[in-house]
Amino acid sequence: MEYRRIKDQEKDGNGDGSGVGVAVADDIESLRAGKPISGSNVAKLGANSFDRSKWQQKSIVTLALTVLTSSQAILIVWSKRAGKYEYSVTTANFMVETLKCVLSLAALSRIWGSEGVTEDNRLSTTYDEVIVYPIPAALYLVKNLLQYYIFAYVDAPGYQILKNFNIISTGILYRIILKKKLSEIQWAAFILLCAGCTTAQLNSNSDHVLQTPFQGWVMAIIMALLSGFAGVYTEAIIKKRPSRNVNVQNFWLYVFGMAFNAIAMVIQDFDAIANKGFFHGYSFITVLMILNHALSGIAVSMVLKYADNIVKVYSTSVAMLLTAVVSVFLFGFHLSLAFFLGSTVVSVAVYLHSIGKLQR
């Protein structure tokens, strides 16, 4: 009688009696009769466990990417003191590249421990393979330095909006360099994106039509072109040898990034570093900013591995809103109707661009 009551409760908890509850009850009955557990029931339990694990992984990487993306601009602005950087931005960039390099080596060491050293995951390489990495490394250097100086002209929420210009530059460069066709939906998304970025920057409380001055727009467009070209070029390198472990490719990219940042330190900040020290002006916020920049790239790769591009789109859209809300409390940002409407249009444009890519 006790067993029958338990079985009835399992049925009640699953509506029509189907699902995991019935599978468990049937297996109990089979064991009482001395029969083996049904293979289909084991498969059901395994499938449910796999789906739950996959959902948890997707949730974790989505949350991580959203937090990292939304906090990136905030941490850069927050690291300023009296409107300027007390630390050397070239040393900060160098530390970001160094940390990325260390993380790539850590990932490789795990692979070497489980799979051993193979032709595709070993660090030793040829001159022809490694000579292609200085170009994207140099482009990323200029782009990463510009992202510090652009905050002289834009605020954190405005930066998050204008940063979406790299979608346009990447799409056009895909068409030119990789000969990939863009769908009509994607071209329409580009127009919407431009309209959204412009709407978000409208300023009704000033004689100036747009909040961001001309210099800020120029720097945003240059950053978008650099980011787009570097991204497309890097993808072409990776796809040239798809069997090569991505951590090896990232390692060599980061090594050249460290080298170029070292040259930038000597040219731009040699006297300041020599007199005040490498870590002069660093604060806890500066350290968090460096960690954020290093982990953001890893988070994107984790999204592509455990989730999908739609997750990246949603993270970008939510990050724009989170950046604006946090900036209200930290920096006194005024959340205007124009910004809200503009960010909404940008979010729709990013979504349409992603949908257009899937339907292409």
Side-chain angles (χ1 to χ4, degrees), residues 43-360:
K44 278 185 181 180
L45 290 170
N48 277 278
S49 177
F50 175 77
D51 290 341
R52 186 162 52 250
S53 175
K54 190 175 181 180
W55 181 85
Q56 288 175 347
Q57 288 175 340
K58 181 182 275 192
S59 300
I60 290 171
V61 296
T62 303
L63 179 63
L65 183 63
T66 302
V67 171
L68 289 170
T69 304
S70 59
S71 59
Q72 196 169 80
I74 292 171
L75 289 173
I76 294 177
V77 175
W78 206 1
S79 67
K80 284 183 174 184
R81 293 184 181 175
K84 63 179 182 179
Y85 303 108
E86 292 192 358
Y87 58 90
S88 165
V89 296
T90 55
T91 62
N93 258 346
F94 180 83
M95 291 304 300
V96 169
E97 296 299 315
T98 302
L99 185 55
K100 286 180 179 179
C101 198
V102 170
L103 291 172
S104 294
L105 280 176
L108 279 172
S109 65
R110 290 186 61 185
I111 294 172
W112 292 334
S114 59
E115 302 176 7
V117 179
T118 65
E119 183 71 21
D120 291 326
N121 66 26
R122 66 180 184 178
L123 281 180
S124 56
T125 182
T126 63
Y127 175 81
D128 290 336
E129 181 182 4
V130 82
I131 196 61
V132 297
Y133 291 105
I135 295 176
L139 293 172
Y140 280 126
L141 166 69
V142 179
K143 178 258 180 185
N144 290 337
L145 288 176
L146 280 176
Q147 77 176 349
Y148 290 96
Y149 299 118
I150 194 173
F151 287 103
Y153 306 102
V154 302
D155 48 29
Y159 172 78
Q160 288 285 27
I161 293 287
L162 296 176
K163 195 169 68 170
N164 288 288
F165 274 134
N166 63 16
I167 296 175
I168 300 177
S169 64
T170 302
I172 295 174
L173 290 169
Y174 257 109
R175 181 72 182 91
I176 296 172
I177 298 175
L178 299 182
K179 308 299 182 183
K180 290 188 176 181
K181 292 184 178 180
L182 299 173
S183 66
E184 294 180 358
I185 294 178
Q186 287 178 302
W187 285 112
F190 291 163
I191 297 173
L192 268 181
L193 189 60
C194 291
C197 289
T198 306
T199 302
Q201 293 297 309
L202 291 176
N203 187 4
S204 59
N205 299 324
S206 173
D207 294 335
H208 300 285
V209 177
L210 300 176
Q211 292 182 4
T212 301
F214 177 74
Q215 299 95 317
W217 283 90
V218 171
M219 292 179 73
I221 292 171
I222 293 174
M223 285 177 61
L225 289 171
L226 290 170
S227 178
F229 187 78
V232 172
Y233 193 92
T234 303
E235 182 174 336
I237 293 173
I238 292 173
K239 289 185 175 180
K240 188 177 181 181
R241 187 177 173 182
S243 61
R244 191 71 153 135
N245 187 283
V246 70
N247 290 297
V248 175
Q249 295 170 316
N250 283 340
F251 171 81
W252 286 112
L253 178 63
Y254 301 148
V255 165
F256 281 103
M258 291 170 60
F260 285 130
N261 275 283
I263 295 172
M265 284 192 297
V266 172
I267 295 174
Q268 184 172 324
D269 297 317
F270 179 78
D271 290 337
I273 295 172
N275 295 328
K276 299 178 182 179
F278 188 92
F279 295 106
H280 173 75
Y282 275 51
S283 63
F284 178 68
I285 300 299
T286 311
V287 175
L288 285 180
M289 180 195 69
I290 291 172
L291 288 172
N292 176 284
H293 279 71
L295 294 174
S296 292
I298 296 176
V300 171
S301 64
M302 295 293 279
V303 164
L304 297 177
K305 181 176 181 180
Y306 293 111
D308 48 45
N309 194 53
I310 298 296
V311 167
K312 186 180 176 184
V313 170
Y314 289 146
S315 295
T316 302
S317 301
V318 174
M320 286 189 292
L321 181 59
L322 280 178
T323 301
V325 172
V326 174
S327 296
V328 170
F329 297 99
L330 288 181
F331 313 121
F333 173 72
H334 175 62
L335 189 59
S336 64
L337 178 61
F339 181 89
F340 177 76
L341 293 175
S343 60
T344 302
V345 172
V346 169
S347 298
V348 172
V350 173
Y351 175 76
L352 288 176
H353 178 268
S354 179
I355 293 297
K357 184 185 294 184
L358 294 174
Q359 295 178 350
R360 189 170 55 197

Side-chain angles (χ1 to χ4, degrees), residues 22-23 26-28 30-31 35-45:
V22 171
D26 288 345
D27 290 338
I28 293 173
S30 297
L31 288 173
K35 298 177 182 178
I37 297 176
S38 168
S40 61
N41 288 341
V42 173
K44 278 185 181 180
L45 290 170

Side-chain angles (χ1 to χ4, degrees), residues 3-20:
Y3 161 70
R4 181 58 57 189
R5 186 161 58 251
I6 292 174
K7 186 174 180 181
D8 290 341
Q9 288 174 354
E10 290 289 350
K11 287 187 178 182
D12 291 340
N14 289 278
D16 60 354
S18 62
V20 177

